Amino acid sequence: MMLWRVQAVIDIESEEENPMIVNRTENFEEDLLGKVVSTEEEAYNLYNSYATRTGFSVRRGQKRYNTKKVLRQFSYFCSKEGFRLDSDPSEVSMANKLETRTGCEARIRFAFQNDNGMWKVSHFVYEHNHELAMPEERQFLRSNRKVSEAHLGVIKTMMDAGIRTTNTYSYLSEEVGGSQNVGFTKRDCYNVVNKEKMVMIEAGDAQSLINLFKRKQAEDPMFFYTVQVDQENRMTNFFWRDGRSRIDYDCFGDVVVFDTTYRTNRYNMICAPFVGVNHHWKNVLFGCAFLLDEKTDSFIWLFETFLESMGGRKPKTIFTDQCQAMANGIEKVFPGVCHRLCSWHISQNAARNLGSYYGNPEFNHMFNKCLQGYCETELEFQSTWDDLLAKFNLTGNQWLKTLYSLRAKWCPVFSQHIFTAKIKSSQRSESTNNVFHQMSTKTMSLTQFVHHYDKQAEKMRSSELEESFRCNQGLSSRIAKSSGLMNHTATVYTRKIFKLFEKEFVDSLGVMMHEVGSDGTIHSFELNEEGHKRVYIVQLNSLNCSISCSCKMFESMGLLCRHTLRVLNVKCWSQIPKQYILKRWTKDANKGLEASEHGELLQTKGKSSVTLRRNTLMRTAYDVLTKASETENTTRIALQKLREIAGLIEKEMIKSKGEVNAKIHDSLDDCNATTFDETPIQNPSCVRPKGISNARLKSVMEKRRRKTSKDIVSSRKTKQPSSIGPSYNSSHAPLSSNFLHPDGVPMSTNINNHVYPAISLLTTNGHAYLPPSNQVQELFMLGNLDSF
């Protein structure tokens, strides 16, 4: 029986050999009988070239072997040879497939010649029983289409760069003068891309992601990742950050912007990047997470994981959108941290909830005065707010009542003493998130997204490096040479921060001041800007060089305001006091990163694995020993110091032998009492809920609407009595609500009003701790899990 499901491939290396490009002679009766070739591949190319010139596609046929299993004959057929076998009518895919076979007899057979070891055409039939392809159609012949190695390299490169497949094919078409000369179709291009994507996630998307994280951790000892799974061992939430993000957080982690506005992958998971602002006033990535839902437990897990990855150091301020679950998580994990709400979201919500008033210029003026921080004191804010409610008769508006209750989180006057880097909204995070949204698709795998994330992080860091280079090329402004204060700050601040300082300095020239008191050490000044009635109070201590202003700009921004600059300029100060030069805004903000990289690893107090510590020591030792091996003298010094180090380490190990043995004993007990779940992590559920798109998510307040009487009646009718005992959604329940051991034992539930933490598969150190299933099952049946 003939094999008809075979795809022929031709390898055309050059334009001269490509029959799609050279001129063809339309000789349908070209005789190949008697032709001689040396290899099977050469034989295929001979017949396929003839087929392309003629207008049909080639299919590989039967091969015949002798008794010693040595190939003696092989054939090639027209692709329309024979007929398709009758298929099962229940197979819809086969039933709907078009019939392309016509029983064509065109073929060629090659036989082996014993005398010269060549292959000779022994049988050739050129007649076809079907219509042949026209010259302009022959580019679509299956055996004439092949993605060359050169084209494959271009496709892979563009795929890694985030360029869409359709744009890649358009580029290739332009390079060769049209799609007819590419050598393959757009569909072939998509197939190649999909094949590469499948290779990337051949172990499964979730498990491939874990494997990718492990490889990254082997390359970067400071790489951190955590994955959370549900009771079916499906991935639910995960977080990762690289070593550079940790270093950036150490330098610029005083303000963090967190946003969860986009679902940018095939599983409809929520992309949640942690973003900050660096010394060039540009976005910097601190890490990224994917969440299955926006519940309080998910945010608590994420914030605790983020805090752990950053060595327990909390930010001073965190910006988010208006989400109550997120606020609950911040209150629990970041107590004492200033939680600020995005002013942009509030403005958008005001337009929706106060549409009839929001278009009123007077209303906008009063509302924005409260929102944007134009009120200098809490008393002024309260007076403006009360006037707004009274003037427009909004004392009973529920949305404004809710907004007012949150005033400490969005009105700058209530947090003037907190450093916020003058950020008023989470749009820094949204802009970064939007970049990920633009380069991703609804079918993008998680592993692909991480690759794109790395590319974007690399671009951002390259931009930072370029800006740092520009900062070291001289003064940022000519005006800096004419002022001592400006000259000093131009050599210290980055270009962008100096521009902000320069604006304040220029504006200070329009500020009028007069001294209202002095005791010889402390001087008090009253200042007001031209055209404004507001009076600012500045106090200067000439003994300790301290200065403060009632506008609190330095406390919130880290830069001296125009009022303090006016005083310093009048007093003929040539430099800014050192305590008012915030390092995070200077050119040296991230100097010495390499030293801090190794220092942090050694200060993790046992949290780092032996592998990470060994990698860190080996990297440092390799650099030192490489330099030491250059001369005999340095080699002798290195050997001497190594012997001294070995002696010190031996003494330290003997000294702490008892403690080490105790730890080893405890570790062995833990290993005997725990099991490591080596079951591959399953992909998250890929069911896209109806109505959810890839667009930006709305916050809770944006989605809030007033229920109608019909809605209330309907909800009462459908409300069911609550069941006794814990319950969970088996398809989407995160670890933070319920978790099952691989044996089927619940690992997290709500019993006796106690919420027990779910188990997180923390693979950073290569361990995952799961209690013995029999012990968990016994305690669970008794209703007591306190022993855990």
Side-chain angles (χ1 to χ4, degrees):
M1 182 177 62
M2 298 298 179
L3 300 176
W4 58 273
R5 291 178 180 267
V6 181
Q7 176 179 354
V9 180
I10 180 171
D11 186 11
I12 302 173
E13 298 293 339
S14 64
E15 184 175 284
E16 289 76 9
E17 297 174 353
N18 191 338
M20 292 306 304
I21 298 177
V22 298
N23 294 326
R24 305 181 182 86
T25 60
E26 306 298 332
N27 184 8
F28 294 161
E29 298 183 0
E30 181 180 349
D31 192 3
L32 299 181
L33 191 64
K35 293 283 186 179
V36 178
V37 295
S38 58
T39 64
E40 186 178 354
E41 181 181 2
E42 186 178 345
Y44 177 82
N45 291 338
L46 172 67
Y47 190 57
N48 192 52
S49 298
Y50 163 78
T52 302
R53 294 192 300 271
T54 305
F56 68 96
S57 188
V58 174
R59 183 164 52 85
R60 296 180 187 271
Q62 289 179 322
K63 293 184 178 181
R64 293 185 179 182
Y65 299 84
N66 60 14
T67 56
K68 297 181 180 180
K69 296 185 179 181
V70 176
L71 182 63
R72 305 299 299 178
Q73 277 186 5
F74 56 84
S75 303
Y76 299 114
F77 303 144
C78 172
S79 62
K80 295 183 179 293
E81 181 270 343
F83 296 94
R84 189 170 65 186
L85 297 176
D86 293 336
S87 59
D88 188 349
S90 62
E91 297 182 10
V92 180
S93 59
M94 294 298 296
N96 293 336
K97 189 174 182 180
L98 295 177
E99 178 62 71
T100 59
R101 301 297 186 89
T102 63
C104 182
E105 294 293 334
R107 65 190 63 201
I108 191 172
R109 182 185 304 143
F110 289 85
F112 185 73
Q113 304 296 309
N114 293 323
D115 53 349
N116 57 9
M118 304 289 283
W119 295 93
K120 184 178 181 180
V121 178
S122 60
H123 181 69
F124 176 64
V125 177
Y126 62 85
E127 293 180 349
H128 297 264
N129 66 352
H130 55 86
E131 184 178 354
L132 298 174
M134 300 294 292
E136 62 272 13
E137 298 173 340
R138 294 171 190 171
Q139 57 180 306
F140 305 114
L141 293 173
R142 190 171 185 180
S143 62
N144 189 41
R145 306 198 313 261
K146 176 178 172 56
V147 180
S148 65
E149 290 296 327
H151 284 159
L152 182 60
V154 174
I155 294 172
K156 287 182 178 180
T157 301
M158 291 192 171
M159 184 178 69
D160 293 338
I163 299 175
R164 298 185 182 275
T165 307
T166 182
N167 296 333
T168 300
Y169 188 77
S170 298
Y171 166 77
L172 294 175
S173 299
E174 289 294 327
E175 283 291 301
V176 296
S179 60
Q180 69 275 10
N181 298 327
V182 176
F184 54 91
T185 64
K186 184 182 290 188
R187 176 176 293 183
D188 296 330
C189 188
Y190 273 99
N191 290 339
V192 169
V193 172
N194 290 335
K195 182 180 178 181
E196 293 298 322
K197 291 179 180 178
M198 294 306 297
V199 170
M200 188 184 300
I201 59 173
E202 59 183 353
D205 195 5
Q207 188 59 46
S208 296
L209 181 65
I210 299 295
N211 297 340
L212 174 63
F213 285 160
K214 289 180 179 179
R215 292 195 298 270
K216 287 181 173 294
Q217 192 175 77
E219 299 169 357
D220 179 8
M222 293 183 68
F223 187 88
F224 181 97
Y225 70 96
T226 306
V227 175
Q228 208 177 25
V229 299
D230 64 6
Q231 67 275 8
E232 297 178 353
N233 209 36
R234 287 184 177 275
M235 178 182 288
T236 56
N237 305 322
F238 65 93
F239 167 82
W240 82 97
R241 63 127 182 93
D242 58 10
R244 175 60 187 273
S245 294
R246 171 64 190 274
I247 295 172
D248 287 336
Y249 184 82
D250 290 339
C251 298
F252 313 112
D254 41 15
V255 177
V256 173
V257 184
F258 178 72
D259 182 62
T260 57
T261 55
Y262 286 102
R263 298 175 185 260
T264 52
N265 56 89
R266 67 171 65 173
Y267 307 104
N268 203 42
M269 297 180 75
I270 302 165
C271 179
F274 290 86
V275 180
V277 55
N278 63 14
H279 54 322
H280 298 298
W281 203 250
K282 294 180 178 293
N283 283 2
V284 60
L285 294 172
F286 296 145
C288 189
F290 274 86
L291 303 176
L292 197 64
D293 55 52
E294 291 185 286
K295 297 180 179 179
T296 298
D297 289 338
S298 296
F299 286 120
I300 290 176
W301 171 85
L302 176 57
F303 294 147
E304 288 178 343
T305 300
F306 176 77
L307 196 61
E308 178 186 359
S309 74
M310 298 303 178
R313 178 191 169 191
K314 300 178 182 178
K316 295 180 180 179
T317 306
I318 182 168
F319 283 85
T320 70
D321 59 358
Q322 294 171 273
C323 175
Q324 186 58 46
M326 197 185 299
N328 295 339
I330 292 174
E331 184 177 355
K332 180 176 178 60
V333 182
F334 298 123
V337 174
C338 179
H339 179 203
R340 303 282 298 161
L341 297 180
C342 171
S343 60
W344 182 84
H345 280 101
I346 296 176
S347 298
Q348 297 299 309
N349 293 333
R352 295 184 181 93
N353 291 276
L354 305 170
S356 58
Y357 301 97
Y358 204 70
N360 189 314
E362 187 176 1
F363 175 88
N364 289 344
H365 172 74
M366 298 178 69
F367 184 79
N368 289 329
K369 182 178 180 181
C370 298
L371 179 63
Q372 303 298 335
Y374 300 137
C375 299
E376 289 292 323
T377 63
E378 295 182 20
L379 182 62
E380 183 181 357
F381 168 83
Q382 189 63 50
S383 175
T384 305
W385 187 266
D386 292 339
D387 291 343
L388 175 69
L389 298 181
K391 186 175 183 62
F392 294 94
N393 193 23
L394 293 171
T395 53
N397 186 281
Q398 188 60 41
W399 185 82
L400 286 176
K401 287 183 179 180
T402 304
L403 185 64
Y404 178 77
S405 66
L406 301 172
R407 62 191 180 280
K409 294 185 177 182
W410 54 265
C411 183
V413 72
F414 291 95
S415 58
Q416 289 182 338
H417 60 289
I418 301 296
F419 183 80
T420 61
K422 277 296 182 182
I423 297 175
K424 293 184 180 180
S425 74
S426 62
Q427 282 186 294
R428 278 189 176 270
S429 178
E430 286 197 26
S431 62
T432 301
N433 214 336
N434 192 39
V435 172
F436 298 143
H437 176 70
Q438 291 176 355
M439 71 184 184
S440 64
T441 63
K442 295 179 182 180
T443 59
M444 176 173 285
S445 67
L446 300 176
T447 308
Q448 286 178 269
F449 185 91
V450 172
H451 282 295
H452 285 298
Y453 175 91
D454 292 340
K455 293 290 183 181
Q456 185 62 29
E458 183 180 349
K459 290 179 182 178
M460 296 171 67
R461 290 160 185 171
S462 177
S463 175
E464 177 184 340
L465 183 62
E466 180 182 2
E467 190 63 27
S468 297
F469 170 77
R470 294 178 181 275
C471 287
N472 296 324
Q473 300 306 304
L475 296 177
S476 300
S477 176
R478 293 181 179 179
I479 195 175
K481 300 179 180 179
S482 61
S483 169
L485 291 174
M486 294 286 286
N487 187 43
H488 175 223
T489 54
T491 58
V492 175
Y493 287 139
T494 59
R495 292 200 316 160
K496 177 61 179 180
I497 301 304
F498 177 76
K499 287 293 183 182
L500 299 176
F501 180 87
E502 184 181 46
K503 182 179 184 304
E504 291 296 319
F505 183 84
V506 172
D507 290 343
S508 70
L509 302 178
V511 175
M512 296 176 290
M513 60 163 284
H514 63 278
E515 191 170 352
V516 294
S518 174
D519 61 1
T521 301
I522 300 178
H523 308 271
S524 299
F525 304 88
E526 288 186 354
L527 303 93
N528 68 295
E529 302 172 18
E530 291 184 4
H532 297 81
K533 296 180 180 180
R534 189 183 304 278
V535 176
Y536 299 91
I537 306 299
V538 175
Q539 288 190 336
L540 173 65
N541 189 322
S542 57
L543 186 62
N544 59 12
C545 300
S546 64
I547 189 169
S548 63
C549 180
S550 60
C551 74
K552 302 295 182 182
M553 178 175 172
F554 178 78
E555 287 77 4
S556 62
M557 174 64 179
L559 288 177
L560 290 179
C561 63
R562 63 195 65 178
H563 317 114
T564 54
L565 292 178
R566 178 61 173 168
V567 172
L568 294 178
N569 199 26
V570 170
K571 293 296 183 179
C572 299
W573 285 45
S574 59
Q575 288 190 349
I576 301 293
K578 292 183 179 180
Q579 63 267 35
Y580 298 106
I581 299 291
L582 215 60
K583 184 180 179 180
R584 65 137 27 247
W585 296 133
T586 65
K587 300 175 183 178
D588 300 331
N590 51 4
K591 285 292 180 66
L593 297 183
E594 185 176 357
S596 65
E597 174 183 344
H598 301 296
E600 286 293 337
L601 283 175
L602 297 176
Q603 295 174 7
T604 52
K605 300 181 180 179
K607 291 184 179 180
S608 297
S609 67
V610 175
T611 303
L612 293 183
R613 293 194 293 269
R614 182 171 59 246
N615 288 345
T616 304
L617 292 173
M618 290 182 66
R619 278 173 29 180
T620 305
Y622 180 82
D623 294 337
V624 174
L625 297 181
T626 300
K627 295 179 181 178
S629 63
E630 293 181 358
T631 64
E632 293 183 1
N633 189 33
T634 54
T635 301
R636 179 178 54 81
I637 295 174
L639 289 173
Q640 179 182 351
K641 294 301 179 181
L642 284 174
R643 294 189 185 99
E644 294 178 5
I645 293 173
L648 292 174
I649 293 175
E650 187 68 24
K651 291 180 181 179
E652 182 64 24
M653 292 181 66
I654 295 174
K655 181 180 178 181
S656 57
K657 184 177 181 180
E659 181 181 354
V660 171
N661 288 338
K663 289 183 178 179
I664 293 175
H665 179 73
D666 293 340
S667 177
L668 291 175
D669 290 341
D670 291 339
C671 290
N672 293 330
T674 60
T675 59
F676 180 67
D677 182 15
E678 297 182 352
T679 305
I681 304 299
Q682 301 299 315
N683 295 342
S685 176
C686 58
V687 177
R688 182 177 296 273
K690 184 178 181 180
I692 294 184
S693 67
N694 218 36
R696 175 184 170 276
L697 298 180
K698 295 182 179 180
S699 66
V700 174
M701 295 195 65
E702 288 180 90
K703 294 184 291 186
R704 182 175 297 171
R705 64 181 180 87
R706 183 175 298 176
K707 286 188 175 182
T708 63
S709 58
K710 182 182 295 186
D711 295 331
I712 297 174
V713 172
S714 176
S715 63
R716 288 176 179 174
K717 288 181 178 180
T718 58
K719 187 175 182 181
Q720 300 293 333
S722 59
S723 59
I724 299 176
S727 62
Y728 59 89
N729 185 329
S730 62
S731 61
H732 291 292
L735 266 178
S736 49
S737 61
N738 290 281
F739 179 87
L740 292 183
H741 188 276
D743 295 338
V745 182
M747 298 303 298
S748 177
T749 187
N750 190 334
I751 302 178
N752 297 333
N753 295 324
H754 291 283
V755 179
Y756 294 90
I759 291 180
S760 175
L761 182 61
L762 181 60
T763 53
T764 298
N765 296 332
H767 296 84
Y769 300 102
L770 297 177
S773 59
N774 56 351
Q775 182 181 356
V776 176
Q777 191 170 15
E778 179 182 356
L779 293 173
F780 179 74
M781 296 301 293
L782 295 175
N784 182 10
L785 294 177
D786 288 337
S787 59
F788 285 128

